[in-house]
Amino acid sequence: MRWCRIDNMQVEVTSDSRYRQLLAAVRGLVRCDAAALLRLMPDEAAPVLQPVAVDGLAEEALGRRFPVAAHPRLARLLDSGHGLRFPSDAGLPDPYDGLLEHQHELEAVHDCMGAPVRVDGRIWGLVTLDALDPHAFDGVDDGRLQGIVRLLETGIAAEETIAEMARRAEQDQALARAASRVGARELLGRSAAMVRLREEIDTVAGSDLTVLILGETGVGKELVAERLHARSLRRDRPLVQINCAALPETLADSELFGHKRGAFTGAVTDRSGKFELADGGTLLLDEVGELPLPVQAKLLRVLQSGDVQRPGSDRVQKVDVRVIAATNRDLREEVARGRFRADLYHRLSVYPLRVPPLRERGRDVLALAGGFLEENQHRLGARNLRLSPAASEALLAHDWPGNVRELEHLISRAALRALSSAGRAGRWIAIEPEHLGMPAMTAAVDAALDAAAPPPEIAPEITPEGPPGIGLREATERFQRQWIAAALARHGGAMAAAAREAGMDRSNFLRLAKRLGATT
């Protein structure tokens, strides 16, 4: 279906209406009682012709399907090459006998002709022309018939091109909708590990291979699944998620496969399971490593056959579902310990994807923090939440055992604390290390400053006497230089520890040491 705008009105344009217009043009060229355009259905096991437009035939003709093997006239037309006209005494049954429009009583067709219609060099279908008058087509020669065929082929090719353009536009819109659902939670980061991951996702997304997403808790496995689905051919169909860790064994059948009313106590209505809901789309089995062994066996059967049977029902339903599984467990280790079926593991791990932990992603943590700050400033109504340089250093130094989820929660807390302490009046609100609220953060900043400082020279013990002939200022600076060098030596070059011994703010201490040349 497509829409066009005419005189500021939105008008629906369908392929059916275009095909009817083509047939109306054909009937304007050839006098006949009925014309039909039939498409050869490409997905059928045996050739079947499906009417897509009729003109002069009863409406019920559109609901019929004509197996070619059962209709010798249609078979002859398909094999004719350039079309033919049947003699009135051909003796072959006509598929349209009794189907002509506006008949007061059912009548047989007496004159019939038709031809194959090709698009891109392949047989697309047939055009058929029928009349009650056995001499209706006496004046229609091969040249006119081929002219009709060329008219139809040109119109159908144009229609299919337009339909393909519309399909691609719909896919682009679906991709944009999927991206908008993810929003700021797209897979951010320019680290080598994330670049490789995105390349792997885009490689496998267009296939129907089963994907196993591996990674620690909080790394963003769900975002990987969303990107896989958004870039797949199933993007217009649902992405259904089920958390296997929250799936009690007693309810697993019902959640995955549905149930019939009365299948068990409490089953008061029929229910569709997740596999049925995801039919044509994608099913994400999150935390698949938590599934109990009995449920693993039932899941394996569905993955092998594509057949789903609701508990309490004798009916088996075929489903077309792409499965994506995710886990933070080492499934090979689970298989070795007998807690996960080996056959299910191999069925799920056709294309494994490892999501790197945040500690392996380097400066990606700052990009992620920026995204979370943007979310929080909109949610809190704050202006320009910004990370201070010290806070950025602290984030980079942390090892993030909770990965991206830990960072998200930490930034949310820090934004609230910073807003509470600074108010809303300034042009921006700085997130400082103290707003991050982690005991390890101060030590992390200290370590970062220490790592940035060059190793000091080892100074001798300081004596209170200075060389004769120098002023107080120079003697004071010499004393400070020697004291700083000695303090750094005592603390193994740790700038922050030396600053604490001096009773100074570390940034001021660092500036003083640089001015005095005590760090070289």
Side-chain angles (χ1 to χ4, degrees):
M1 180 191 302
R2 301 188 307 281
W3 299 86
C4 66
R5 188 166 292 279
I6 301 175
D7 295 333
N8 294 321
M9 294 188 300
Q10 200 176 39
V11 180
E12 180 183 345
V13 180
T14 65
S15 294
D16 291 348
S17 65
R18 289 283 298 154
Y19 293 146
R20 287 196 298 270
Q21 292 171 9
L22 288 172
L23 281 184
V26 169
R27 290 192 71 184
L29 296 173
V30 176
R31 185 177 64 86
C32 61
D33 293 302
L37 191 59
L38 302 97
R39 181 158 194 178
L40 187 63
M41 304 307 291
D43 298 328
E44 300 291 338
V48 172
L49 287 162
Q50 171 79 53
V52 295
V54 296
D55 193 341
L57 291 178
E59 290 185 10
E60 69 174 273
L62 284 172
R64 295 179 179 260
R65 293 163 63 87
F66 299 104
V68 175
H71 294 277
R73 286 196 184 223
L74 299 180
R76 289 273 303 276
L77 289 175
L78 282 173
D79 294 337
S80 65
H82 299 288
L84 57 85
R85 177 188 180 189
F86 291 97
S88 58
D89 60 353
L92 298 174
D94 193 291
Y96 305 134
D97 282 344
L99 288 178
L100 293 184
E101 199 173 28
H102 306 310
Q103 288 182 310
H104 297 294
E105 59 183 43
L106 299 182
E107 296 184 66
V109 173
H110 296 292
D111 206 353
C112 174
M113 68 186 309
V117 176
R118 293 175 173 82
V119 175
D120 294 331
R122 299 187 303 273
I123 293 182
W124 181 91
L126 288 178
V127 58
T128 59
L129 307 173
D130 292 273
L132 296 173
D133 181 356
H135 302 289
F137 302 142
D138 286 351
V140 181
D141 57 16
D142 288 343
R144 185 183 295 188
L145 180 59
Q146 290 310 302
I148 291 171
V149 169
R150 284 193 294 273
L151 168 68
L152 291 170
E153 288 175 344
T154 301
I156 292 170
E159 174 61 26
E160 296 213 329
T161 298
I162 295 170
E164 176 63 17
M165 292 171 63
R167 185 186 68 81
R168 291 181 180 177
E170 289 174 1
Q171 288 179 347
D172 291 343
Q173 292 170 3
L175 185 58
R177 288 194 299 270
S180 68
R181 287 196 301 270
V182 177
R185 301 301 176 86
E186 183 55 79
L187 288 170
L188 297 176
R190 296 185 295 176
S191 63
M194 288 306 294
V195 170
R196 284 195 301 271
L197 176 61
R198 286 193 292 266
E199 289 174 350
E200 287 285 340
I201 291 171
D202 295 345
T203 295
V204 72
S207 73
D208 268 345
L209 294 181
T210 303
V211 176
L212 178 61
I213 306 172
L214 304 166
E216 299 175 8
T217 297
V219 294
K221 296 186 288 294
E222 184 178 344
L223 294 186
V224 173
E226 289 176 349
R227 185 180 177 105
L228 280 165
H229 179 72
R231 283 161 171 73
S232 74
L233 299 178
R234 299 170 180 264
R235 62 175 69 93
D236 293 329
R237 303 295 297 165
L239 169 62
V240 178
Q241 179 178 352
I242 183 167
N243 185 355
C244 299
L247 195 61
E249 183 176 346
T250 53
L251 297 179
D253 280 2
S254 176
E255 289 294 322
L256 288 171
F257 314 123
H259 61 249
K260 288 286 289 182
R261 177 182 178 183
F264 52 85
T265 302
V268 295
T269 60
D270 291 354
R271 178 179 180 180
S272 298
K274 293 296 192 290
F275 271 94
E276 290 183 57
L277 295 175
D279 191 19
T282 304
L283 176 63
L284 170 59
L285 301 172
D286 198 12
E287 302 300 345
V288 71
E290 310 300 323
L291 280 178
L293 283 168
V295 181
Q296 292 178 29
K298 296 173 183 178
L299 175 61
L300 178 65
R301 285 197 296 272
V302 176
L303 295 178
Q304 289 172 333
S305 65
D307 295 333
V308 172
Q309 185 173 4
R310 293 184 184 180
S313 172
D314 295 329
R315 178 172 170 264
V316 176
Q317 179 177 345
K318 180 73 73 174
V319 292
D320 173 25
V321 174
R322 185 199 193 166
V323 172
I324 299 174
T327 182
N328 59 7
R329 290 182 177 268
D330 183 344
L331 290 189
R332 281 189 284 193
E333 179 65 22
E334 296 296 296
V335 169
R337 295 188 178 190
R339 294 196 291 248
F340 202 85
R341 293 179 62 105
D343 45 6
L344 179 58
Y345 167 70
H346 292 297
R347 178 69 64 170
L348 293 174
S349 61
V350 177
Y351 202 105
L353 289 175
R354 177 183 176 270
V355 186
L358 188 52
R359 63 182 173 274
E360 295 180 6
R361 295 175 55 181
R363 301 184 69 85
D364 283 356
V365 65
L366 300 182
L368 290 165
F372 294 139
L373 284 174
E374 189 73 20
E375 290 180 11
N376 278 278
Q377 73 182 29
H378 289 301
R379 183 166 60 243
L380 298 173
R383 294 180 62 185
N384 299 331
L385 290 171
R386 299 291 185 265
L387 286 172
S388 72
S392 296
E393 291 295 336
L395 295 180
L396 289 169
H398 191 51
D399 60 357
W400 301 109
N403 291 294
V404 179
R405 188 177 297 127
E406 179 188 359
L407 173 64
E408 176 191 0
H409 296 164
L410 183 141
I411 292 296
S412 296
R413 294 192 298 270
L416 193 58
R417 289 173 181 145
L419 181 61
S420 176
S421 62
R424 303 174 186 269
R427 293 177 59 187
W428 66 80
I429 298 173
I431 306 292
E432 298 289 353
E434 56 265 27
H435 298 136
L436 300 175
M438 296 177 63
M441 283 297 174
T442 299
V445 176
D446 292 348
L449 286 171
D450 294 340
E457 294 180 350
I458 304 300
E461 288 294 326
I462 304 171
T463 58
E465 297 84 6
I470 65 170
L472 177 62
R473 178 185 179 89
E474 185 178 348
T476 301
E477 290 184 350
R478 178 177 293 189
F479 174 81
Q480 289 177 324
R481 187 182 303 112
Q482 290 178 341
W483 192 96
I484 291 172
L488 289 171
R490 284 192 297 275
H491 293 287
M495 186 70 68
R500 282 195 294 272
E501 184 181 340
M504 296 177 63
D505 177 78
R506 55 182 168 267
S507 58
N508 291 335
F509 182 80
L510 179 59
R511 281 194 294 272
L512 176 62
K514 287 182 176 179
R515 183 175 66 81
L516 296 172
T519 61
T520 58

